[in-house]
Coordinates of all heavy atoms in Angstrom, one line a residue:
F1 N 140.4 146.1 19.3 CA 140.9 145.8 20.7 C 140.9 147.1 21.5 O 140.5 147.0 22.7 CB 142.3 145.2 20.5 CG 143.0 145.0 21.9 CD1 142.8 143.9 22.6 CD2 143.9 146.0 22.3 CE1 143.5 143.8 23.9 CE2 144.6 145.9 23.5 CZ 144.3 144.7 24.3
F2 N 141.4 148.2 21.0 CA 141.5 149.4 21.8 C 140.2 150.1 22.1 O 140.1 150.9 23.0 CB 142.5 150.3 21.1 CG 143.9 149.9 21.2 CD1 144.5 149.3 20.1 CD2 144.6 149.9 22.4 CE1 145.8 148.9 20.2 CE2 145.9 149.5 22.5 CZ 146.5 148.9 21.4
R3 N 139.1 149.7 21.4 CA 137.8 150.3 21.7 C 137.4 149.7 23.1 O 136.6 150.3 23.8 CB 136.8 149.9 20.7 CG 136.8 150.9 19.5 CD 135.5 150.8 18.7 NE 135.3 149.5 18.0 CZ 135.7 149.3 16.8 NH1 136.3 150.4 16.1 NH2 135.6 148.2 16.2
K4 N 137.9 148.5 23.4 CA 137.6 147.9 24.8 C 138.5 148.5 25.9 O 138.3 148.1 27.0 CB 137.8 146.4 24.7 CG 136.9 145.7 23.6 CD 137.2 144.2 23.5 CE 136.4 143.6 22.4 NZ 136.7 142.1 22.3
H5 N 139.6 149.2 25.5 CA 140.5 149.8 26.5 C 140.7 151.3 26.2 O 141.8 151.7 25.8 CB 141.8 149.0 26.4 CG 141.7 147.6 26.6 ND1 141.7 147.0 27.9 CD2 141.6 146.5 25.8 CE1 141.6 145.7 27.8 NE2 141.5 145.4 26.5
P6 N 139.6 152.1 26.4 CA 139.7 153.5 26.1 C 140.6 154.3 26.9 O 141.0 155.4 26.5 CB 138.2 154.0 26.3 CG 137.7 153.0 27.3 CD 138.3 151.7 27.0
S7 N 141.1 153.8 28.0 CA 142.0 154.6 28.9 C 143.5 154.6 28.3 O 144.3 155.4 28.7 CB 142.0 154.0 30.3 OG 142.5 152.7 30.3
M8 N 143.7 153.7 27.3 CA 145.1 153.7 26.8 C 145.3 154.8 25.7 O 144.5 154.9 24.8 CB 145.4 152.3 26.1 CG 145.4 151.2 27.1 SD 145.7 149.6 26.3 CE 145.6 148.4 27.7
E9 N 146.3 155.5 25.9 CA 146.6 156.6 25.0 C 147.5 156.1 23.8 O 148.6 155.5 24.1 CB 147.3 157.8 25.7 CG 147.8 158.9 24.8 CD 148.6 159.9 25.6 OE1 148.7 159.8 26.8 OE2 149.2 160.8 24.9
F10 N 147.2 156.5 22.6 CA 148.0 156.1 21.4 C 149.1 157.1 21.3 O 148.9 158.3 21.3 CB 147.2 156.1 20.2 CG 146.1 155.1 20.2 CD1 145.0 155.2 19.3 CD2 146.1 154.0 21.0 CE1 144.0 154.3 19.3 CE2 145.1 153.0 21.0 CZ 144.0 153.2 20.2
V11 N 150.3 156.6 21.0 CA 151.5 157.5 20.7 C 152.1 157.0 19.4 O 152.8 155.9 19.4 CB 152.5 157.5 21.9 CG1 153.7 158.4 21.5 CG2 151.9 157.8 23.2
P12 N 152.0 157.7 18.3 CA 152.6 157.2 17.0 C 154.1 157.2 17.1 O 154.7 158.1 17.7 CB 152.1 158.3 16.0 CG 150.9 158.9 16.7 CD 151.1 158.9 18.1
F13 N 154.7 156.1 16.6 CA 156.1 156.0 16.6 C 156.6 155.4 15.3 O 155.8 155.1 14.4 CB 156.5 155.0 17.7 CG 157.9 155.3 18.3 CD1 158.2 156.4 19.0 CD2 158.9 154.3 18.2 CE1 159.4 156.7 19.5 CE2 160.1 154.5 18.8 CZ 160.4 155.7 19.4
F14 N 157.9 155.3 15.1 CA 158.5 155.0 13.7 C 157.9 153.7 13.2 O 157.4 153.7 12.1 CB 160.0 154.9 13.8 CG 160.6 156.2 14.1 CD1 161.1 156.6 15.3 CD2 160.8 157.1 13.0 CE1 161.7 157.8 15.6 CE2 161.4 158.4 13.3 CZ 161.9 158.7 14.5
N15 N 158.0 152.6 13.9 CA 157.4 151.4 13.5 C 157.2 150.5 14.7 O 157.6 150.8 15.8 CB 158.3 150.7 12.4 CG 159.6 150.3 12.9 OD1 159.9 150.1 14.1 ND2 160.6 150.1 12.0
T16 N 156.7 149.3 14.5 CA 156.3 148.5 15.6 C 157.5 147.9 16.4 O 157.6 147.9 17.6 CB 155.5 147.3 15.1 OG1 156.1 146.6 14.1 CG2 154.1 147.8 14.6
A17 N 158.6 147.5 15.7 CA 159.7 147.0 16.3 C 160.5 148.0 17.1 O 161.0 147.8 18.2 CB 160.7 146.3 15.3
R18 N 160.6 149.2 16.5 CA 161.3 150.3 17.3 C 160.4 150.7 18.5 O 161.0 151.1 19.5 CB 161.5 151.5 16.4 CG 162.7 151.3 15.4 CD 163.0 152.6 14.7 NE 163.6 153.6 15.6 CZ 164.0 154.8 15.3 NH1 163.8 155.2 14.0 NH2 164.5 155.6 16.1
S19 N 159.1 150.6 18.4 CA 158.3 150.8 19.6 C 158.6 149.8 20.7 O 158.7 150.2 21.8 CB 156.8 150.7 19.2 OG 156.5 151.6 18.2
A20 N 158.7 148.6 20.3 CA 159.1 147.5 21.3 C 160.4 147.8 21.9 O 160.6 147.7 23.1 CB 159.1 146.2 20.6
K21 N 161.4 148.2 21.1 CA 162.7 148.5 21.6 C 162.7 149.7 22.6 O 163.3 149.7 23.6 CB 163.7 148.8 20.4 CG 165.1 149.0 20.8 CD 165.9 149.2 19.5 CE 167.4 149.3 19.8 NZ 167.8 150.6 20.4
M22 N 161.9 150.7 22.2 CA 161.8 151.9 23.1 C 161.2 151.6 24.4 O 161.7 152.0 25.5 CB 161.0 153.0 22.4 CG 161.0 154.3 23.1 SD 159.8 154.4 24.4 CE 158.3 154.2 23.4
V23 N 160.1 150.8 24.4 CA 159.5 150.4 25.6 C 160.4 149.5 26.5 O 160.5 149.8 27.7 CB 158.2 149.6 25.3 CG1 157.6 148.9 26.6 CG2 157.1 150.5 24.7
A24 N 161.2 148.6 25.9 CA 162.1 147.8 26.7 C 163.2 148.7 27.3 O 163.6 148.4 28.5 CB 162.8 146.8 25.7
E25 N 163.6 149.7 26.6 CA 164.7 150.6 27.2 C 164.2 151.6 28.2 O 164.9 152.1 29.0 CB 165.4 151.3 26.0 CG 166.2 150.4 25.1 CD 166.7 151.1 23.9 OE1 166.3 152.2 23.6 OE2 167.6 150.5 23.1
S26 N 162.8 151.8 28.2 CA 162.3 152.9 29.0 C 162.2 152.4 30.5 O 162.3 153.2 31.4 CB 160.9 153.2 28.6 OG 159.9 152.2 28.9
G27 N 162.0 151.1 30.7 CA 161.9 150.6 32.1 C 160.6 151.0 32.8 O 160.4 150.9 34.0

């Protein structure tokens, strides 16, 4: 999927759910 969206930067995080929580809290 991400090969089709090369402009997106990957940022490793603890796990997928905490990533979702962090994005929600970031606004």
Side-chain angles (χ1 to χ4, degrees):
F1 172 84
F2 286 104
R3 276 199 291 268
K4 301 175 183 177
H5 301 277
S7 62
M8 294 182 184
E9 177 188 351
F10 297 160
V11 183
F13 209 64
F14 292 102
N15 63 25
T16 53
R18 285 192 65 182
S19 299
K21 185 173 185 289
M22 187 278 297
V23 168
E25 293 172 348
S26 73

